[in-house]
Amino acid sequence: MVIEPAKTSEIVPLIVDAYELTDRETEVTQYTARGLPTGEIADRLHLSPHTVRDHIKAVFEKVGVSSRGELVGKLFTEYYAPLAEKNMTRVHTG
């Protein structure tokens, strides 16, 4: 049996629901969290850079942050890390 913290891919939908992000805002947020620049996000999602910036602004407003670094910190440090620690179970063998 392996016990491990929930994966980011399992946590992100919960965070997205909590902030009521649209599907497109979620996609933009995921690429932003990976550190992709606006132009590359636009290329991958077949959007204009202006549209990507609009989505990022909307996400910032919903989440209550003002930068990409704050966004990543809030979504993944504040929410993912505590959940991982809370759900962590240490199993001693031997």
Side-chain angles (χ1 to χ4, degrees), residues 10-53:
E10 297 167 341
I11 299 296
V12 169
L14 301 174
I15 295 167
V16 167
D17 287 344
Y19 287 109
E20 299 179 352
L21 300 180
T22 65
D23 290 343
R24 186 59 88 186
E25 289 168 349
T26 301
E27 290 175 315
V28 169
T29 300
Q30 289 173 328
Y31 284 126
T32 300
R34 292 181 191 145
L36 277 86
T38 301
E40 191 168 338
I41 296 170
D43 289 345
R44 289 185 182 213
L45 297 177
H46 308 289
L47 301 170
S48 74
H50 178 75
T51 300
V52 171
R53 283 189 291 274

